[in-house]
Amino acid sequence: MSRAITSLANPTVKAARALHMRKAREESGRFLAEGLKIVTEAVELGRAPRILLYSAEAGAHPLARRARAATEAAGGEAIEVGRDILAKISRRDNPQTVLAVFDQAFTPLSALDPAAAPCWVALEAVRDPGNLGTIVRTADAAGSGGVILVGDCCDPYSVEAVRATMGSVFAVKIARASVAEFLAWRAAWPGSVVGTLLTATTDFRAAAYTPPSLILMGNEQAGLTPDLAAACDVTVKIPMRGRADSLNLAVATGVMIYAATKG
Amino acid sequence: MSRAITSLANPTVKAARALHMRKAREESGRFLAEGLKIVTEAVELGRAPRILLYSAEAGAHPLARRARAATEAAGGEAIEVGRDILAKISRRDNPQTVLAVFDQAFTPLSALDPAAAPCWVALEAVRDPGNLGTIVRTADAAGSGGVILVGDCCDPYSVEAVRATMGSVFAVKIARASVAEFLAWRAAWPGSVVGTLLTATTDFRAAAYTPPSLILMGNEQAGLTPDLAAACDVTVKIPMRGRADSLNLAVATGVMIYAATKG
């Protein structure tokens, strides 16, 4: 029998709400995901929630019943809550009717198998969580193996980033590395390492993408730093033909991933 | 001599702040843009602000002086304001130090010249202002002629959409049409009309893109409606190789625009 929480002051409610803050995510190693669709995606991938929170109506949905069973089978808690509690935890006036707390699952760089996918993505110092989440979603859709976060990046487990992944946060491997760790790891990369650079002269469609390709994208404002640009086999430009001097990072990454995985 | 406003209750402040609401934008035919970069972009394209609002420090910047001169030369008002007023108008704790009110500039469908660019974008019932703004930015960067909004779309002049355009809202033609108007206009389109559809069987890279290409993208959730899908010369799919069942709309549009403008 699942328990219910009715108090906004309940410690579980407070802990879940605190996951909007990076500090609380880092200390707990957990994150918050919203919505039955994304929770179902997680359960299908064998990632049971630590804590599942749902409204009375939502709890009766067959997929929610399945998520509840998976949560409890894995030793987690499935808890019915009121809409006021869902709103408080999600910090939204119109909250999703299912929220869940999961363990973060960074993959160590050394555990990535380059040959497992035709394309991988590395992001240097990405700043915008919406961009990062959208890139994780794109990587998943395009069959990339995963996303490597290099240097000081925003948190892929922030609520905003997770929301933008639309569930792909559970499907794609996510690793993180310092610049030095990345450079050492990249030295053994078996395929092409292709970076985008505004000053490059090679059109992105003209580069060789020998699988597994590693697509290297720089920060939203500054692009790739010289050290990472130098680590590429080739740097390429996506031609800018209008007045805009750059693409949104997630759009540019999508264009690159599909260039690397043609055929 | 420019005037200054110090009262939060000033009617100009109230009118500028009201531009966060679609109703106020539609009634006034105006919109709000934030930041010296985007205002400078507008001025360079011959679009002077109706009202320019700036902090004392920002007003001394050479580009801000130029924007002030352009505003006043066009009969608009350049007004120095405090940070509290900038924060109130922008609804941000950390506002940009330059804000400006511009006239909206929809281009009539009949005034678009298809031959003026190798690629154009039409969006059916786009919902998310961030997506729409990012698509306008992408269209600009890739040298598309413009973006046609078909059916019930979100507002390209909302604060969030304008922000995502990063200034491209002034560089790209934006038109809007009912489905019937669009279909009548499309009948005379001289190049390829290519739409994306999850159920299509042709890979997007295998389609013929005879310039000027018109790329037709559907709503975030539902995709293209049957009427618009039927209006395409060819419908294509962007292959989904992972678990994600779709791309973010702005990413998908970027991938399509670059496929249509290769070479």
Side-chain angles (χ1 to χ4, degrees):
Chain A
M1 174 68 197
S2 310
R3 71 184 175 108
I5 293 178
T6 53
S7 164
L8 292 167
N10 178 283
T12 300
V13 172
K14 286 187 167 176
R17 178 176 161 87
L19 294 173
H20 284 269
M21 289 176 292
R22 188 163 192 166
K23 187 158 177 284
R25 291 193 300 274
E26 286 177 356
E27 287 174 1
S28 66
R30 295 185 172 185
F31 69 102
L32 185 66
E34 304 163 301
L36 183 55
K37 181 173 184 292
I38 188 169
V39 170
T40 298
E41 181 79 10
V43 168
E44 283 178 2
L45 288 162
R47 297 275 298 279
R50 288 290 193 166
I51 303 165
L52 182 73
L53 302 150
Y54 51 90
S55 68
E57 316 82 86
H61 190 289
L63 290 175
R65 287 178 179 278
R66 198 172 139 203
R68 288 162 60 186
T71 302
E72 290 172 344
E77 282 191 288
I79 307 170
E80 185 181 309
V81 295
R83 279 189 82 85
D84 56 336
I85 289 181
L86 293 168
K88 175 154 187 179
I89 294 173
S90 66
R91 303 190 182 206
R92 292 191 150 190
D93 292 337
N94 276 309
Q96 298 266 6
T97 54
V98 176
L99 302 175
V101 174
F102 290 92
D103 285 331
Q104 298 179 16
F106 285 105
T107 302
L109 211 50
S110 59
L112 297 180
D113 174 14
C119 179
W120 296 74
V121 178
L123 304 173
E124 183 184 15
V126 57
R127 276 284 171 278
D128 182 86
N131 280 345
L132 176 50
T134 302
I135 290 168
V136 168
R137 177 181 174 189
T138 307
D140 180 17
S144 299
V147 176
I148 298 112
L149 303 173
V150 184
D152 184 22
C153 290
C154 64
D155 183 359
Y157 292 113
S158 70
V159 172
E160 193 182 350
V162 169
R163 200 178 279 159
T165 72
M166 300 283 281
S168 294
V169 69
F170 298 105
V172 167
K173 291 193 193 311
I174 300 174
R176 51 184 171 179
S178 68
V179 171
E181 288 165 347
F182 176 78
L183 291 174
W185 176 76
R186 174 268 175 274
W189 188 262
S192 299
V193 178
V194 182
T196 60
L197 211 55
L198 286 175
T199 55
T201 52
T202 303
D203 185 285
F204 73 103
R205 288 158 293 209
Y209 296 89
T210 307
S213 298
L214 178 59
I215 304 298
L216 194 44
M217 307 291 296
N219 164 270
E220 285 94 340
Q221 269 72 49
L224 285 177
T225 55
D227 281 357
L228 284 204
C232 296
D233 293 318
V234 57
T235 56
V236 299
K237 64 168 179 185
I238 302 176
M240 299 288 131
R241 296 204 170 85
R243 287 187 62 90
D245 55 8
S246 68
L247 290 170
N248 165 277
L249 179 63
V251 171
T253 306
V255 168
M256 287 297 296
I257 292 177
Y258 276 95
T261 55
K262 50 182 173 273
Chain B
M1 174 69 196
S2 309
R3 71 184 175 108
I5 294 177
T6 53
S7 164
L8 291 168
N10 177 282
T12 301
V13 172
K14 285 188 166 176
R17 179 176 160 87
L19 294 174
H20 284 269
M21 289 176 293
R22 188 163 192 165
K23 187 158 177 285
R25 291 193 301 274
E26 286 177 356
E27 286 174 0
S28 65
R30 295 185 171 186
F31 70 102
L32 185 67
E34 304 163 302
L36 183 55
K37 183 174 185 290
I38 187 168
V39 170
T40 298
E41 181 78 12
V43 168
E44 283 178 2
L45 288 163
R47 297 275 299 278
R50 288 291 193 166
I51 303 165
L52 182 71
L53 303 150
Y54 52 91
S55 68
E57 317 83 85
H61 190 289
L63 290 175
R65 287 178 178 279
R66 198 171 140 205
R68 287 162 60 186
T71 303
E72 289 172 345
E77 283 192 289
I79 308 170
E80 184 181 310
V81 295
R83 280 189 82 83
D84 56 336
I85 288 180
L86 292 169
K88 176 156 186 179
I89 294 173
S90 67
R91 303 190 183 208
R92 290 191 153 190
D93 293 336
N94 277 309
Q96 297 266 6
T97 55
V98 176
L99 301 175
V101 174
F102 290 90
D103 285 332
Q104 299 179 16
F106 285 104
T107 302
L109 211 51
S110 59
L112 298 180
D113 173 15
C119 180
W120 298 73
V121 178
L123 304 173
E124 182 184 16
V126 56
R127 277 284 170 278
D128 183 86
N131 279 345
L132 175 50
T134 302
I135 290 169
V136 168
R137 177 181 174 190
T138 307
D140 180 17
S144 298
V147 176
I148 298 111
L149 303 173
V150 184
D152 182 22
C153 290
C154 63
D155 184 359
Y157 291 114
S158 69
V159 172
E160 192 183 349
V162 169
R163 198 178 281 159
T165 72
M166 301 282 280
S168 295
V169 68
F170 298 107
V172 166
K173 291 193 193 311
I174 301 174
R176 50 186 171 177
S178 69
V179 170
E181 288 165 347
F182 175 79
L183 291 174
W185 175 77
R186 173 266 175 275
W189 188 262
S192 299
V193 179
V194 182
T196 60
L197 211 55
L198 285 175
T199 55
T201 52
T202 303
D203 186 285
F204 74 104
R205 288 159 292 210
Y209 296 89
T210 306
S213 298
L214 178 59
I215 303 298
L216 194 44
M217 306 292 294
N219 164 269
E220 285 93 338
Q221 269 73 49
L224 285 177
T225 56
D227 281 357
L228 284 205
C232 296
D233 293 319
V234 56
T235 56
V236 300
K237 63 168 178 185
I238 303 176
M240 299 289 131
R241 295 204 172 84
R243 286 187 62 90
D245 54 9
S246 68
L247 291 170
N248 165 277
L249 179 63
V251 172
T253 305
V255 168
M256 286 298 295
I257 292 176
Y258 276 95
T261 55
K262 49 181 173 273

